Amino acid sequence: EPLRLDMLVDGKVIVEAKSVLVDNPVFKAQALSYLRLARLHLGFVINFNVTMIKDGIERVINFKA
């Protein structure tokens, strides 16, 4: 299956949307891979399966962009 990101905001920010009970480090690695391939700097992994959405947001930064 080809790589497909969930959202690209303004051509600058990648957003990976999830709805899971348990956070998995693979999600951040996946977002980082997308950032590197797109040569972008900033991304977010957002888990919508949390009580407060602020608890489900993780920032991912590509320092090599």
Side-chain angles (χ1 to χ4, degrees):
E1 182 176 325
L3 296 174
R4 191 178 338 174
L5 57 92
D6 291 336
M7 270 185 265
L8 179 62
V9 180
D10 200 25
K12 298 178 183 177
V13 179
I14 288 177
V15 177
E16 275 299 301
K18 305 293 181 192
S19 181
V20 294
L21 291 174
V22 179
D23 186 33
N24 191 328
V26 171
F27 302 148
K28 285 181 84 169
Q30 180 184 22
L32 185 57
S33 294
Y34 291 150
L35 288 171
R36 288 181 178 162
L37 287 169
R39 295 190 175 119
L40 296 175
H41 181 70
L42 180 63
F44 292 96
V45 177
I46 302 175
N47 181 11
F48 289 97
N49 194 13
V50 291
T51 304
M52 296 187 67
I53 194 66
K54 70 177 186 173
D55 296 331
I57 299 174
E58 291 187 69
R59 183 170 62 172
V60 181
I61 296 176
N62 177 16
F63 289 106
K64 297 181 182 182

